[in-house]
Each structure stands twice: as structure tokens, then as C-alpha cells.
Amino acid sequence: MGFGEILFHIIVFPGLLFLLAWTFFAFYFFRKALAYMHRRVGPHYNGPAGSMQTVYDIFKLLSKESITPRTADTYLFNIIPILTPVIASLPVILIPWTPWINNGHGIVDTDYGLLGIVVLIGVEPFLLFLTGFGSDNKYSFLGGMRVLVQMLSMEAAFFLSALAPALLFGTMNLYNIQSSNSLATTLILLPGAALFVVAMLGILQQPPFNIPEAEQEIVYGFYTEYSGTNYVLLKFAEFVEFLVVSATAVVLFFGGYHGVFMDSFLCLFLKISLLLFVILIVRAANPRLRLDQMLKFSWSWLTPAAMLNLVWIAFAKIYLLGM
């Protein structure tokens, strides 16, 4: 891979410009879809169907002053918003986005791609905890502690459900997993896919698991003291992580960029958008859980179900597929 190609991947696709475009799209899509589900109008004044409102809002946030509290840990408070989007963006090099990059593989082709993504996703909550810890604010600290508790409780189910396709196909290589997928294996993996999506909502702190940023209880969680560019960087990291985990779900369970008539990035993007819509339905229809309810649900139901799913995968592999 030449220097020009590496630079293209870093800046354009699947690099910075692609991630920025995704953030604008996801932000707008969230607003319009939720408005439709709640029977509201949503943004509609600026640009076609209000499409420019998201652009204006982001640039408005960027133009605001980034204030560092006097008692906060200045170094920690300002370095974490820079590290967080960088760490969140690293898994994009492992995901097979399109057939024309590296012969359909990820930019970095490794037999441990799934493990690498799970590990990198697991680092993010510790950085979010440090945002609350460095803010010297009790509400921020409580939000950061909730991130760690939620991550530890959801990570077991998340990893076990992600392990299902690796067990079925006998590999952790993301390209090999998506290439081995078929209609029969997709049906076998459906329970694991459902468990993965539920655990994914907990990992990403999305409703009904948006416990670390509960406005009614702890103001805005670990975001409380952040403003301006620092706040934008943290939200950017959140949307990037959303893309990474959603793309991983599509690659693991729904064939990635493989389509019925053609293989392309468009197939992958449509599948991610459909998954995004399903998540928004869950978000619109369910209230936020309490922390104790989330813990009970995770350890009493979700994690045991993910373990039973691995038993089902082993049974299906031996007796249904004869592998």
C-alpha cells in the first residue's frame, strides 16, 4: 500500500471526511426519524427538509467557548476529548467496508479483527470515566462511574453474542465471517444478532440504557462541564463508535457489503441505516431504565441468554450444518 493510498484512507475513506459525513447524516437522521415517530415536525426551516439545521448547529457549538472549570484537572479535562475520537476511530481500519479496498478485506487484514474491535470498544468507557473524574464535578463523576458499571455489566453479553459467528465459522477474521454468511447461517445467527443489538445499546449508552447522562438525575452526566469544541469532539466520538459497532453487527450477522445483486459499500450502508432505524424505534418507544434495573436485566437475563446462544450455535453447527 503506497503513501498516497494510506493518505486517502486516513483523510477521505474510511477516514476523517467519511466519519464527519456519517456524523452529519446520523445526527439529521436521528432528528427527523424521532420527530416522525413522536408526531413532531423536526428541523424543516433551513435547507431542504431542514437538512442544513444540523450543519448550523454543529458550527454554532464549534464557535462557542470551551470553558475549563477552575478546579478541574486541566490536562486531563482537555486531553480526553482529543483521545476519545481517535480511539473510537481506530476500529474502522479493521472493518471490510467495500470490495475495492484491499480486495474486500479491512485496511488492516488480521485473523483477530473481531477481538481487536471488541478490545478497542472496551477502552472507550474508561476514557469517558476520566472525563467525569477530571471535571471535578460530582454529577460528572457519577456519570463516569455509571459508564464503567454499565460497560462491565453489558460487555459480557456483548462479547458472547459477538463470539457466535466466530464459533459458527471458526474464525475471527471479519472478511471470512461475512464471506461465509448465507441465508441459512443468518437465520441461525438471528438470536445472537438480537442479543448483540441489545448489548450494543448498553455499550453505546443509547436509550433505554442512557443511564450515564440522565438529565433528570445527574444534569448531563460526564458531559456536564464540557462546552464548545471539547463537547463537539466527545459527541463526534459517540457517533463514530455508533458507526463502528453498527458496521460490526452488519458484518458479523448480515453479510456485510454482500448484496443480492451486487457487492458494494451501498449494501453495507443500507443495512446500517436499517439497523439504525430499528434502534430508533426502540429509543422512541421505551423510557430510560434505572441503574438497578439495567444491572438485573444484564446479569439475570442478557448474559445467560448470550451463553445459551453459544450452545445453540454449537448444536446448529454440528447437527444442522454438519460442519
Side-chain angles (χ1 to χ4, degrees), residues 283-309:
R283 177 175 185 159
N286 293 280
R288 184 178 67 251
L289 297 178
R290 297 195 313 267
L291 186 60
D292 62 304
Q293 291 174 324
M294 182 275 296
L295 290 171
K296 183 178 180 180
F297 170 73
S298 176
W299 292 113
S300 299
W301 298 98
L302 194 61
T303 301
M307 296 177 69
L308 286 174
N309 179 61

Side-chain angles (χ1 to χ4, degrees), residues 78-92:
N78 290 290
I79 197 65
I80 294 298
I82 299 173
L83 286 178
T84 304
V86 172
I87 299 297
S89 303
L90 285 178
V92 302

Side-chain angles (χ1 to χ4, degrees), residues 96-282:
W97 293 100
T98 176
W100 57 266
I101 292 182
N102 199 15
N103 296 319
H105 297 258
I107 296 172
V108 174
D109 186 24
T110 172
D111 290 335
Y112 303 99
L114 175 58
L115 183 61
I117 285 181
V118 170
V119 170
L120 288 170
I121 290 171
V123 172
E124 199 76 7
F126 293 98
L127 295 176
L128 297 180
F129 164 74
L130 290 175
T131 64
F133 179 78
S135 298
D136 193 34
N137 178 299
K138 63 180 180 180
Y139 299 112
S140 300
F141 181 73
L142 286 173
M145 288 297 296
R146 287 185 175 191
V147 169
L148 287 185
V149 171
Q150 185 161 317
M151 180 64 184
L152 291 173
S153 62
M154 285 291 182
E155 194 170 35
F158 181 76
F159 180 71
L160 289 171
S161 55
L163 202 59
L167 177 62
L168 184 63
F169 301 122
T171 178
M172 286 193 177
N173 186 296
L174 294 174
Y175 172 78
N176 292 338
I177 288 174
Q178 77 164 9
S179 298
S180 302
N181 215 330
S182 64
L183 179 59
T185 57
T186 298
L187 294 175
I188 290 171
L189 289 169
L190 272 181
L195 293 169
F196 186 89
V197 171
V198 174
M200 180 178 91
L201 292 175
I203 293 291
L204 298 174
Q205 300 109 45
Q206 292 296 311
F209 303 112
N210 55 331
I211 300 165
E213 54 187 65
E215 295 93 336
Q216 294 91 336
E217 304 162 25
I218 50 174
V219 187
Y220 199 14
F222 53 88
Y223 289 118
T224 300
E225 296 288 358
Y226 282 91
S227 59
T229 304
N230 284 341
Y231 176 73
V232 172
L233 288 172
L234 288 173
K235 294 302 289 185
F236 174 62
E238 178 184 325
F239 279 103
V240 170
E241 191 177 15
F242 202 111
L243 172 65
V244 166
V245 180
S246 301
T248 302
V250 170
V251 169
L252 291 177
F253 299 100
F254 303 111
Y257 58 69
H258 293 298
V260 178
F261 303 107
M262 56 181 276
D263 298 342
S264 70
F265 169 74
L266 181 60
C267 296
L268 177 68
F269 185 76
L270 289 175
K271 292 175 185 178
I272 292 174
S273 300
L274 182 60
L275 179 60
L276 185 64
F277 189 71
V278 171
I279 290 171
L280 284 176
I281 292 175
V282 175

Side-chain angles (χ1 to χ4, degrees), residues 58-99:
I58 291 176
F59 278 99
K60 178 193 73 172
L61 287 171
L62 287 172
S63 66
K64 288 186 174 181
E65 183 181 2
S66 294
I67 299 172
T68 303
R70 185 181 294 108
T71 57
D73 185 321
T74 305
Y75 177 77
L76 197 61
F77 186 85
N78 290 290
I79 197 65
I80 294 298
I82 299 173
L83 286 178
T84 304
V86 172
I87 299 297
S89 303
L90 285 178
V92 302
I93 65 176
L94 299 170
I95 297 172
W97 293 100
T98 176

